[in-house]
Amino acid sequence: MKMIRPHWKSRTIALMACALSCLLPLYAADPASEIEQLKQMLADQQRQINELRHALEDKNGAPSAGLETPLPSLGQVASTAPVIPRPVALPTAATAATAGPQAAAAKPTTSARNPCEADPEGQTPAFIRLGSTCLVPIGFMDLTAVWRDKNAGSSLGSNFGSVPFNNNINAKNSEFRFTPQNSRIGFRFDGDWQGTHFIGYNEFDFLGTSASTGITVTNGAFVPRLRLFWVDARKGKLEFLAGQSWSMLTPNRSGISALPGNIFFSQVIDVNYMAGLTWTRQPGMRVLYHPSNKVTFGFSAENPDQYIGGQAGGSSITLPAALTGLANSSTEQLDNATNIGTANPALAVPTVHPDFIAKVAFDPTSRFHFEVAGIERTFKIWNPNLTGPGAGKYSTIAGGGVQVGINGEIFKNFRLISTNYWSDGGGRYLFGQAPDIIVRADGSLSAVHSGGTVDGFEARIKNLLLYAYYGGIYISRNAALDLNGTTRIGYGYQGSPNSQNRAIQEFTFGFNQTLWASPRYGAINAMGQYEYLERAPWFVAAGTPKGTHDNTIYFNLRYTLPGGMPNF
């Protein structure tokens, strides 16, 4: 049976009217002596009203542990968005008009565009008001346990391209550790000014590089690391974003939104996500156009990098003997992630222009998302040699890639995902597993072909989320001869190191169980993931393994802070 909840304002007015009607005769008899009685009785009435209101809020606002709580969309689970039910929208001018004459008389209407300017009413709001803006603390506290059957030395995240071979001493040992590093903290604020809705978003984790040598000995001094820091403004059909965000080449779940809950980076616990996923978080700016609620066009300019491998387990190319200075700390023109004696190697590498990304997304219903994105990049170096082929000349080439993604709910609570990427000079966006270019003996550049895919499903059964994915990366051979005519250079040549991978594949599945959730107090989740990872190099020396693999098991406990934005 549905309970009809009385409106607070009408109840308050009715109680006060009754109190006044009973007290007026007394007041008329002796005004001087009865004023204090009137004040006391009104104070008692207000106290009783407040007690009743708090009792009903506690009854309706905070579900008890063990009761089923509605979950948000799949895109929010295991992301930085709080895993709690959506907050109750605050009353606006539109809702007040339908609430009846007593409600309209009891409270003046406020701006329908900016609910942050409304007075709090009903359940405790899941956000904090700062002037005319709403602020929500973003974050969760994680404790993650990770076990690998080989000591890959990659800490919490998997370095997909550097799984040790069985003839390596690191393959003889396993590894196990606890870590809180995936915990996150930040904030989001929303507001509306003259019809422009703006969002500010900030997020840190604790996966930064630490100079401490005693992290596992005396003190887990994990370093905060900036993940996201951007501002977005939208008015009508136009939208503009600037700051550090997920690259627009990262697949979306909905539209071309930069909010983590609208981005597909999988549901895995692994902080490096999936092999084959196109992603990075980097500075840039973008312009979006929304001709309708079902179509979005986007164009972004993002941080460039002339990358030749060496990051996150990916192998670096082999440079010509006369041009190794292109990756030296004093004359660097190319980024191999370990070559430069500065704190920020990529920031010391010259670049021609930003990476330009264009994207179109179609969302005909809330159950289906389709997108196509393209990227254009330019690489340029100068041959510093005084003699020989190409001496004192520039080499400039263009690179690019195409990404296609589908994310659809084929039946209730069961979603299929497929995202696919192929590039010519875009390997950096595959988590750095493939180099962008090689350098020939005469100093000319050549782009490396590479591609990736992630395919799988996500299913929700009440408070339980299940998922399984396949991820794959393919890196083409691009080889050349050095000036002596015999030494091979580039990537994947005959005799290349076994770190120069041809293919990397991952099979993974896992769960995310919401144990308890409350819009007032947050949520507690238990998560698990199994990951099988294998890689195969281009060249296999006689008597050495043709490939290698490892097995990883994650278990994670998470407490998510409460919070949620009202509806704008």
Side-chain angles (χ1 to χ4, degrees):
M1 179 177 179
K2 185 176 180 180
M3 178 180 294
I4 300 176
R5 300 177 183 175
H7 196 281
W8 287 117
K9 295 190 173 102
S10 59
R11 170 177 287 233
T12 302
I13 292 171
L15 290 172
M16 291 181 67
C18 291
L20 286 172
S21 64
C22 294
L23 292 170
L24 279 176
L26 295 175
Y27 178 75
D30 189 357
S33 62
E34 300 301 332
I35 288 178
E36 293 301 322
Q37 295 183 26
L38 173 62
K39 290 181 179 180
Q40 182 61 41
M41 295 185 70
L42 288 175
D44 291 340
Q45 290 285 348
Q46 186 61 49
R47 178 179 54 80
Q48 294 173 9
I49 291 170
N50 289 338
E51 290 177 354
L52 178 59
R53 180 179 63 189
H54 291 313
L56 285 176
E57 284 178 354
D58 292 338
K59 180 179 180 180
N60 299 322
S64 302
L67 295 180
E68 181 180 336
T69 307
L71 290 176
S73 63
L74 287 173
Q76 294 179 341
V77 178
S79 76
T80 57
V83 189
I84 60 174
R86 292 183 177 88
V88 177
L90 293 176
T92 64
T95 57
T98 60
Q102 291 181 335
K107 179 180 179 180
T109 60
T110 58
S111 169
R113 283 190 174 274
N114 192 353
C116 300
E117 296 176 351
D119 292 329
E121 184 177 340
Q123 294 185 359
T124 301
F127 53 87
I128 303 170
R129 288 182 178 83
L130 292 178
S132 294
T133 64
C134 298
L135 185 144
V136 171
I138 297 295
F140 50 76
M141 282 69 84
D142 269 8
L143 179 64
T144 307
V146 55
W147 174 87
R148 292 185 179 91
D149 64 348
K150 293 182 179 178
N151 183 25
S154 58
S155 187
L156 178 58
S158 298
N159 283 350
F160 306 116
S162 60
V163 178
F165 286 87
N166 289 336
N167 59 350
N168 187 299
I169 189 171
N170 286 331
K172 307 301 180 182
N173 295 306
S174 62
E175 60 173 322
F176 175 89
R177 58 178 50 88
F178 289 111
T179 178
Q181 288 179 273
N182 193 39
S183 301
R184 297 177 199 169
I185 193 70
F187 61 83
R188 168 187 170 179
F189 70 86
D190 285 54
D192 190 281
W193 183 72
Q194 296 186 356
T196 299
H197 180 206
F198 56 86
I199 303 175
Y201 197 95
N202 167 259
E203 183 180 293
F204 288 84
D205 62 21
F206 296 87
L207 289 158
T209 302
S210 175
S212 173
T213 58
I215 285 181
T216 57
V217 181
T218 58
N219 183 24
F222 301 110
V223 178
R225 180 185 69 166
L226 181 67
R227 289 170 58 90
L228 302 169
F229 206 161
W230 51 262
V231 174
D232 176 273
R234 176 176 176 178
K235 185 171 185 178
K237 296 182 178 182
L238 290 177
E239 183 176 356
F240 178 78
L241 180 144
Q244 176 154 308
S245 68
W246 290 88
S247 169
M248 206 168 72
L249 200 63
T250 309
N252 276 92
R253 294 179 180 272
S254 174
I256 312 181
S257 170
L259 290 169
N262 295 328
I263 293 173
F264 173 76
F265 45 85
S266 78
Q267 303 285 0
V268 299
I269 302 173
D270 192 335
V271 295
N272 292 336
Y273 309 112
M274 289 287 305
L277 182 69
T278 53
W279 71 275
T280 184
R281 295 183 296 267
Q282 61 188 2
M285 57 183 64
R286 69 179 68 169
V287 177
L288 304 178
Y289 176 66
H290 305 267
S292 71
N293 292 332
K294 298 180 180 181
V295 181
T296 306
F297 296 95
F299 178 80
S300 70
E302 302 182 12
N303 225 33
D305 188 26
Q306 302 194 146
Y307 178 65
I308 57 172
Q311 175 68 30
S315 177
S316 180
I317 67 171
T318 302
L319 289 165
L323 293 172
T324 56
L326 294 174
N328 288 342
S329 59
S330 59
T331 58
E332 68 274 8
Q333 297 185 55
L334 301 169
D335 178 17
N336 70 355
T338 59
N339 57 353
I340 302 170
T342 67
N344 299 291
L347 299 181
V349 173
T351 53
V352 180
H353 61 68
D355 289 351
F356 295 120
I357 301 173
K359 190 172 189 177
V360 57
F362 302 92
D363 298 86
T365 71
S366 61
R367 301 177 59 179
F368 182 81
H369 171 81
F370 173 75
E371 64 180 36
V372 179
I375 181 171
E376 191 278 331
R377 316 182 67 199
T378 299
F379 307 93
K380 181 180 179 180
I381 63 170
W382 179 71
N383 189 333
N385 291 336
L386 300 178
T387 60
K393 294 183 179 180
Y394 288 102
S395 176
T396 304
I397 63 168
V402 176
Q403 182 257 335
V404 179
I406 297 176
N407 194 315
E409 188 178 14
I410 59 173
F411 53 85
K412 187 177 181 180
N413 294 331
F414 186 86
R415 187 172 291 269
L416 290 179
I417 300 107
S418 178
T419 176
N420 305 274
Y421 174 70
W422 184 251
S423 76
D424 192 21
R428 176 171 76 92
Y429 286 84
L430 289 165
F431 188 52
Q433 298 304 296
D436 295 328
I437 52 177
I438 70 161
V439 182
R440 297 191 179 101
D442 61 356
S444 62
L445 301 176
S446 177
V448 175
H449 300 287
S450 59
T453 184
V454 175
D455 308 280
F457 75 87
E458 297 168 352
R460 180 161 59 88
I461 305 172
K462 295 185 178 180
N463 290 355
L464 175 66
L465 171 70
L466 301 173
Y467 61 84
Y469 310 103
Y470 164 79
I473 297 174
Y474 178 80
I475 310 168
S476 291
R477 173 191 287 123
N478 194 339
L481 291 175
D482 210 343
L483 289 177
N484 60 16
T486 57
T487 302
R488 291 177 172 85
I489 56 175
Y491 188 90
Y493 52 88
Q494 186 72 15
S496 61
N498 63 9
S499 59
Q500 295 190 357
N501 296 304
R502 172 178 55 85
I504 302 170
Q505 298 185 83
E506 177 185 354
F507 302 88
T508 189
F509 60 86
F511 70 90
N512 185 331
Q513 173 69 54
T514 301
L515 303 176
W516 176 85
S518 164
R520 278 190 169 188
Y521 305 110
I524 298 176
N525 287 62
M527 311 175 197
Q529 180 196 352
Y530 168 76
E531 174 187 300
Y532 175 87
L533 186 66
E534 66 177 26
R535 68 180 182 95
W538 270 108
F539 176 74
V540 179
T544 60
K546 295 182 179 180
T548 185
H549 70 273
D550 72 356
N551 298 276
T552 304
I553 296 175
Y554 291 96
F555 182 76
N556 187 71
L557 287 175
R558 171 175 298 174
Y559 166 71
T560 303
L561 296 174
M565 280 295 165
N567 294 324
F568 278 79

mmCIF file with all atom_site columns, all heavy atoms in Angstrom, residues 205-224:
data_model
loop_
_atom_site.group_PDB
_atom_site.id
_atom_site.type_symbol
_atom_site.label_atom_id
_atom_site.label_alt_id
_atom_site.label_comp_id
_atom_site.label_asym_id
_atom_site.label_entity_id
_atom_site.label_seq_id
_atom_site.pdbx_PDB_ins_code
_atom_site.Cartn_x
_atom_site.Cartn_y
_atom_site.Cartn_z
_atom_site.occupancy
_atom_site.B_iso_or_equiv
_atom_site.pdbx_formal_charge
_atom_site.auth_seq_id
_atom_site.auth_comp_id
_atom_site.auth_asym_id
_atom_site.auth_atom_id
_atom_site.pdbx_PDB_model_num
ATOM 1   N N   . ASP A 1 205 ? 44.336 10.322 -7.857  1.00 0.00 ? 205 ASP A N   1
ATOM 2   C CA  . ASP A 1 205 ? 44.541 9.024  -7.238  1.00 0.00 ? 205 ASP A CA  1
ATOM 3   C C   . ASP A 1 205 ? 45.916 9.037  -6.572  1.00 0.00 ? 205 ASP A C   1
ATOM 4   O O   . ASP A 1 205 ? 46.532 10.095 -6.437  1.00 0.00 ? 205 ASP A O   1
ATOM 5   C CB  . ASP A 1 205 ? 44.378 7.871  -8.235  1.00 0.00 ? 205 ASP A CB  1
ATOM 6   C CG  . ASP A 1 205 ? 45.394 7.902  -9.371  1.00 0.00 ? 205 ASP A CG  1
ATOM 7   O OD1 . ASP A 1 205 ? 46.462 8.532  -9.225  1.00 0.00 ? 205 ASP A OD1 1
ATOM 8   O OD2 . ASP A 1 205 ? 45.136 7.286  -10.427 1.00 0.00 ? 205 ASP A OD2 1
ATOM 9   N N   . PHE A 1 206 ? 46.413 7.879  -6.148  1.00 0.00 ? 206 PHE A N   1
ATOM 10  C CA  . PHE A 1 206 ? 47.668 7.818  -5.387  1.00 0.00 ? 206 PHE A CA  1
ATOM 11  C C   . PHE A 1 206 ? 48.672 6.900  -6.077  1.00 0.00 ? 206 PHE A C   1
ATOM 12  O O   . PHE A 1 206 ? 49.447 6.199  -5.430  1.00 0.00 ? 206 PHE A O   1
ATOM 13  C CB  . PHE A 1 206 ? 47.382 7.363  -3.957  1.00 0.00 ? 206 PHE A CB  1
ATOM 14  C CG  . PHE A 1 206 ? 46.524 8.339  -3.200  1.00 0.00 ? 206 PHE A CG  1
ATOM 15  C CD1 . PHE A 1 206 ? 45.136 8.271  -3.275  1.00 0.00 ? 206 PHE A CD1 1
ATOM 16  C CD2 . PHE A 1 206 ? 47.092 9.352  -2.458  1.00 0.00 ? 206 PHE A CD2 1
ATOM 17  C CE1 . PHE A 1 206 ? 44.337 9.177  -2.608  1.00 0.00 ? 206 PHE A CE1 1
ATOM 18  C CE2 . PHE A 1 206 ? 46.302 10.268 -1.788  1.00 0.00 ? 206 PHE A CE2 1
ATOM 19  C CZ  . PHE A 1 206 ? 44.926 10.187 -1.861  1.00 0.00 ? 206 PHE A CZ  1
ATOM 20  N N   . LEU A 1 207 ? 48.668 6.959  -7.415  1.00 0.00 ? 207 LEU A N   1
ATOM 21  C CA  . LEU A 1 207 ? 49.573 6.134  -8.221  1.00 0.00 ? 207 LEU A CA  1
ATOM 22  C C   . LEU A 1 207 ? 50.754 6.938  -8.734  1.00 0.00 ? 207 LEU A C   1
ATOM 23  O O   . LEU A 1 207 ? 51.413 6.546  -9.699  1.00 0.00 ? 207 LEU A O   1
ATOM 24  C CB  . LEU A 1 207 ? 48.804 5.517  -9.390  1.00 0.00 ? 207 LEU A CB  1
ATOM 25  C CG  . LEU A 1 207 ? 47.822 4.419  -8.981  1.00 0.00 ? 207 LEU A CG  1
ATOM 26  C CD1 . LEU A 1 207 ? 46.748 4.238  -10.035 1.00 0.00 ? 207 LEU A CD1 1
ATOM 27  C CD2 . LEU A 1 207 ? 48.546 3.112  -8.730  1.00 0.00 ? 207 LEU A CD2 1
ATOM 28  N N   . GLY A 1 208 ? 51.027 8.090  -8.118  1.00 0.00 ? 208 GLY A N   1
ATOM 29  C CA  . GLY A 1 208 ? 52.163 8.905  -8.521  1.00 0.00 ? 208 GLY A CA  1
ATOM 30  C C   . GLY A 1 208 ? 53.486 8.248  -8.182  1.00 0.00 ? 208 GLY A C   1
ATOM 31  O O   . GLY A 1 208 ? 53.584 7.369  -7.320  1.00 0.00 ? 208 GLY A O   1
ATOM 32  N N   . THR A 1 209 ? 54.543 8.684  -8.867  1.00 0.00 ? 209 THR A N   1
ATOM 33  C CA  . THR A 1 209 ? 55.883 8.138  -8.648  1.00 0.00 ? 209 THR A CA  1
ATOM 34  C C   . THR A 1 209 ? 56.453 8.678  -7.342  1.00 0.00 ? 209 THR A C   1
ATOM 35  O O   . THR A 1 209 ? 56.475 9.880  -7.108  1.00 0.00 ? 209 THR A O   1
ATOM 36  C CB  . THR A 1 209 ? 56.817 8.516  -9.807  1.00 0.00 ? 209 THR A CB  1
ATOM 37  O OG1 . THR A 1 209 ? 56.264 8.017  -11.022 1.00 0.00 ? 209 THR A OG1 1
ATOM 38  C CG2 . THR A 1 209 ? 58.200 7.931  -9.598  1.00 0.00 ? 209 THR A CG2 1
ATOM 39  N N   . SER A 1 210 ? 56.912 7.783  -6.484  1.00 0.00 ? 210 SER A N   1
ATOM 40  C CA  . SER A 1 210 ? 57.444 8.170  -5.182  1.00 0.00 ? 210 SER A CA  1
ATOM 41  C C   . SER A 1 210 ? 58.951 7.975  -5.149  1.00 0.00 ? 210 SER A C   1
ATOM 42  O O   . SER A 1 210 ? 59.478 6.997  -5.677  1.00 0.00 ? 210 SER A O   1
ATOM 43  C CB  . SER A 1 210 ? 56.794 7.337  -4.076  1.00 0.00 ? 210 SER A CB  1
ATOM 44  O OG  . SER A 1 210 ? 57.384 7.620  -2.837  1.00 0.00 ? 210 SER A OG  1
ATOM 45  N N   . ALA A 1 211 ? 59.641 8.924  -4.511  1.00 0.00 ? 211 ALA A N   1
ATOM 46  C CA  . ALA A 1 211 ? 61.091 8.808  -4.345  1.00 0.00 ? 211 ALA A CA  1
ATOM 47  C C   . ALA A 1 211 ? 61.456 7.996  -3.105  1.00 0.00 ? 211 ALA A C   1
ATOM 48  O O   . ALA A 1 211 ? 62.627 7.728  -2.857  1.00 0.00 ? 211 ALA A O   1
ATOM 49  C CB  . ALA A 1 211 ? 61.708 10.200 -4.250  1.00 0.00 ? 211 ALA A CB  1
ATOM 50  N N   . SER A 1 212 ? 60.452 7.599  -2.332  1.00 0.00 ? 212 SER A N   1
ATOM 51  C CA  . SER A 1 212 ? 60.716 6.858  -1.103  1.00 0.00 ? 212 SER A CA  1
ATOM 52  C C   . SER A 1 212 ? 61.211 5.451  -1.415  1.00 0.00 ? 212 SER A C   1
ATOM 53  O O   . SER A 1 212 ? 60.718 4.783  -2.332  1.00 0.00 ? 212 SER A O   1
ATOM 54  C CB  . SER A 1 212 ? 59.450 6.784  -0.258  1.00 0.00 ? 212 SER A CB  1
ATOM 55  O OG  . SER A 1 212 ? 59.641 5.931  0.848   1.00 0.00 ? 212 SER A OG  1
ATOM 56  N N   . THR A 1 213 ? 62.195 4.995  -0.648  1.00 0.00 ? 213 THR A N   1
ATOM 57  C CA  . THR A 1 213 ? 62.690 3.623  -0.795  1.00 0.00 ? 213 THR A CA  1
ATOM 58  C C   . THR A 1 213 ? 62.117 2.699  0.286   1.00 0.00 ? 213 THR A C   1
ATOM 59  O O   . THR A 1 213 ? 62.473 1.532  0.332   1.00 0.00 ? 213 THR A O   1
ATOM 60  C CB  . THR A 1 213 ? 64.225 3.597  -0.709  1.00 0.00 ? 213 THR A CB  1
ATOM 61  O OG1 . THR A 1 213 ? 64.622 4.169  0.565   1.00 0.00 ? 213 THR A OG1 1
ATOM 62  C CG2 . THR A 1 213 ? 64.844 4.404  -1.832  1.00 0.00 ? 213 THR A CG2 1
ATOM 63  N N   . GLY A 1 214 ? 61.234 3.262  1.130   1.00 0.00 ? 214 GLY A N   1
ATOM 64  C CA  . GLY A 1 214 ? 60.717 2.464  2.230   1.00 0.00 ? 214 GLY A CA  1
ATOM 65  C C   . GLY A 1 214 ? 59.230 2.258  2.187   1.00 0.00 ? 214 GLY A C   1
ATOM 66  O O   . GLY A 1 214 ? 58.611 2.046  3.234   1.00 0.00 ? 214 GLY A O   1
ATOM 67  N N   . ILE A 1 215 ? 58.635 2.306  0.986   1.00 0.00 ? 215 ILE A N   1
ATOM 68  C CA  . ILE A 1 215 ? 57.176 2.179  0.884   1.00 0.00 ? 215 ILE A CA  1
ATOM 69  C C   . ILE A 1 215 ? 56.682 0.867  1.473   1.00 0.00 ? 215 ILE A C   1
ATOM 70  O O   . ILE A 1 215 ? 55.645 0.816  2.133   1.00 0.00 ? 215 ILE A O   1
ATOM 71  C CB  . ILE A 1 215 ? 56.735 2.342  -0.583  1.00 0.00 ? 215 ILE A CB  1
ATOM 72  C CG1 . ILE A 1 215 ? 56.807 3.817  -0.981  1.00 0.00 ? 215 ILE A CG1 1
ATOM 73  C CG2 . ILE A 1 215 ? 55.324 1.827  -0.790  1.00 0.00 ? 215 ILE A CG2 1
ATOM 74  C CD1 . ILE A 1 215 ? 56.376 4.084  -2.403  1.00 0.00 ? 215 ILE A CD1 1
ATOM 75  N N   . THR A 1 216 ? 57.418 -0.221 1.257   1.00 0.00 ? 216 THR A N   1
ATOM 76  C CA  . THR A 1 216 ? 56.996 -1.515 1.791   1.00 0.00 ? 216 THR A CA  1
ATOM 77  C C   . THR A 1 216 ? 57.761 -1.888 3.055   1.00 0.00 ? 216 THR A C   1
ATOM 78  O O   . THR A 1 216 ? 57.590 -2.992 3.561   1.00 0.00 ? 216 THR A O   1
ATOM 79  C CB  . THR A 1 216 ? 57.216 -2.619 0.739   1.00 0.00 ? 216 THR A CB  1
ATOM 80  O OG1 . THR A 1 216 ? 58.599 -2.636 0.355   1.00 0.00 ? 216 THR A OG1 1
ATOM 81  C CG2 . THR A 1 216 ? 56.360 -2.370 -0.490  1.00 0.00 ? 216 THR A CG2 1
ATOM 82  N N   . VAL A 1 217 ? 58.595 -0.976 3.560   1.00 0.00 ? 217 VAL A N   1
ATOM 83  C CA  . VAL A 1 217 ? 59.393 -1.282 4.747   1.00 0.00 ? 217 VAL A CA  1
ATOM 84  C C   . VAL A 1 217 ? 58.839 -0.592 5.983   1.00 0.00 ? 217 VAL A C   1
ATOM 85  O O   . VAL A 1 217 ? 58.516 -1.236 6.982   1.00 0.00 ? 217 VAL A O   1
ATOM 86  C CB  . VAL A 1 217 ? 60.868 -0.871 4.529   1.00 0.00 ? 217 VAL A CB  1
ATOM 87  C CG1 . VAL A 1 217 ? 61.702 -1.211 5.775   1.00 0.00 ? 217 VAL A CG1 1
ATOM 88  C CG2 . VAL A 1 217 ? 61.444 -1.568 3.310   1.00 0.00 ? 217 VAL A CG2 1
ATOM 89  N N   . THR A 1 218 ? 58.715 0.725  5.919   1.00 0.00 ? 218 THR A N   1
ATOM 90  C CA  . THR A 1 218 ? 58.321 1.469  7.110   1.00 0.00 ? 218 THR A CA  1
ATOM 91  C C   . THR A 1 218 ? 57.106 2.363  6.904   1.00 0.00 ? 218 THR A C   1
ATOM 92  O O   . THR A 1 218 ? 56.445 2.723  7.868   1.00 0.00 ? 218 THR A O   1
ATOM 93  C CB  . THR A 1 218 ? 59.485 2.356  7.590   1.00 0.00 ? 218 THR A CB  1
ATOM 94  O OG1 . THR A 1 218 ? 59.857 3.252  6.529   1.00 0.00 ? 218 THR A OG1 1
ATOM 95  C CG2 . THR A 1 218 ? 60.684 1.505  7.979   1.00 0.00 ? 218 THR A CG2 1
ATOM 96  N N   . ASN A 1 219 ? 56.813 2.771  5.672   1.00 0.00 ? 219 ASN A N   1
ATOM 97  C CA  . ASN A 1 219 ? 55.749 3.756  5.487   1.00 0.00 ? 219 ASN A CA  1
ATOM 98  C C   . ASN A 1 219 ? 55.228 3.696  4.064   1.00 0.00 ? 219 ASN A C   1
ATOM 99  O O   . ASN A 1 219 ? 55.996 3.866  3.112   1.00 0.00 ? 219 ASN A O   1
ATOM 100 C CB  . ASN A 1 219 ? 56.290 5.159  5.793   1.00 0.00 ? 219 ASN A CB  1
ATOM 101 C CG  . ASN A 1 219 ? 55.200 6.214  5.693   1.00 0.00 ? 219 ASN A CG  1
ATOM 102 O OD1 . ASN A 1 219 ? 54.011 5.898  5.829   1.00 0.00 ? 219 ASN A OD1 1
ATOM 103 N ND2 . ASN A 1 219 ? 55.580 7.434  5.455   1.00 0.00 ? 219 ASN A ND2 1
ATOM 104 N N   . GLY A 1 220 ? 53.925 3.466  3.913   1.00 0.00 ? 220 GLY A N   1
ATOM 105 C CA  . GLY A 1 220 ? 53.315 3.451  2.579   1.00 0.00 ? 220 GLY A CA  1
ATOM 106 C C   . GLY A 1 220 ? 53.053 4.867  2.102   1.00 0.00 ? 220 GLY A C   1
ATOM 107 O O   . GLY A 1 220 ? 51.900 5.296  2.013   1.00 0.00 ? 220 GLY A O   1
ATOM 108 N N   . ALA A 1 221 ? 54.099 5.595  1.779   1.00 0.00 ? 221 ALA A N   1
ATOM 109 C CA  . ALA A 1 221 ? 53.997 7.012  1.410   1.00 0.00 ? 221 ALA A CA  1
ATOM 110 C C   . ALA A 1 221 ? 53.660 7.151  -0.068  1.00 0.00 ? 221 ALA A C   1
ATOM 111 O O   . ALA A 1 221 ? 54.477 7.603  -0.870  1.00 0.00 ? 221 ALA A O   1
ATOM 112 C CB  . ALA A 1 221 ? 55.300 7.736  1.740   1.00 0.00 ? 221 ALA A CB  1
ATOM 113 N N   . PHE A 1 222 ? 52.441 6.777  -0.428  1.00 0.00 ? 222 PHE A N   1
ATOM 114 C CA  . PHE A 1 222 ? 52.023 6.845  -1.823  1.00 0.00 ? 222 PHE A CA  1
ATOM 115 C C   . PHE A 1 222 ? 51.703 8.285  -2.206  1.00 0.00 ? 222 PHE A C   1
ATOM 116 O O   . PHE A 1 222 ? 51.130 9.042  -1.431  1.00 0.00 ? 222 PHE A O   1
ATOM 117 C CB  . PHE A 1 222 ? 50.818 5.938  -2.053  1.00 0.00 ? 222 PHE A CB  1
ATOM 118 C CG  . PHE A 1 222 ? 51.096 4.498  -1.712  1.00 0.00 ? 222 PHE A CG  1
ATOM 119 C CD1 . PHE A 1 222 ? 50.505 3.902  -0.602  1.00 0.00 ? 222 PHE A CD1 1
ATOM 120 C CD2 . PHE A 1 222 ? 51.969 3.749  -2.477  1.00 0.00 ? 222 PHE A CD2 1
ATOM 121 C CE1 . PHE A 1 222 ? 50.763 2.586  -0.282  1.00 0.00 ? 222 PHE A CE1 1
ATOM 122 C CE2 . PHE A 1 222 ? 52.237 2.427  -2.164  1.00 0.00 ? 222 PHE A CE2 1
ATOM 123 C CZ  . PHE A 1 222 ? 51.637 1.838  -1.066  1.00 0.00 ? 222 PHE A CZ  1
ATOM 124 N N   . VAL A 1 223 ? 52.058 8.653  -3.425  1.00 0.00 ? 223 VAL A N   1
ATOM 125 C CA  . VAL A 1 223 ? 52.033 10.045 -3.863  1.00 0.00 ? 223 VAL A CA  1
ATOM 126 C C   . VAL A 1 223 ? 50.759 10.330 -4.651  1.00 0.00 ? 223 VAL A C   1
ATOM 127 O O   . VAL A 1 223 ? 50.412 9.576  -5.566  1.00 0.00 ? 223 VAL A O   1
ATOM 128 C CB  . VAL A 1 223 ? 53.273 10.355 -4.735  1.00 0.00 ? 223 VAL A CB  1
ATOM 129 C CG1 . VAL A 1 223 ? 53.235 11.793 -5.235  1.00 0.00 ? 223 VAL A CG1 1
ATOM 130 C CG2 . VAL A 1 223 ? 54.543 10.095 -3.943  1.00 0.00 ? 223 VAL A CG2 1
ATOM 131 N N   . PRO A 1 224 ? 50.051 11.421 -4.344  1.00 0.00 ? 224 PRO A N   1
ATOM 132 C CA  . PRO A 1 224 ? 48.876 11.789 -5.150  1.00 0.00 ? 224 PRO A CA  1
ATOM 133 C C   . PRO A 1 224 ? 49.281 12.113 -6.586  1.00 0.00 ? 224 PRO A C   1
ATOM 134 O O   . PRO A 1 224 ? 50.371 12.623 -6.847  1.00 0.00 ? 224 PRO A O   1
ATOM 135 C CB  . PRO A 1 224 ? 48.328 13.038 -4.444  1.00 0.00 ? 224 PRO A CB  1
ATOM 136 C CG  . PRO A 1 224 ? 48.889 12.983 -3.062  1.00 0.00 ? 224 PRO A CG  1
ATOM 137 C CD  . PRO A 1 224 ? 50.222 12.318 -3.193  1.00 0.00 ? 224 PRO A CD  1
#
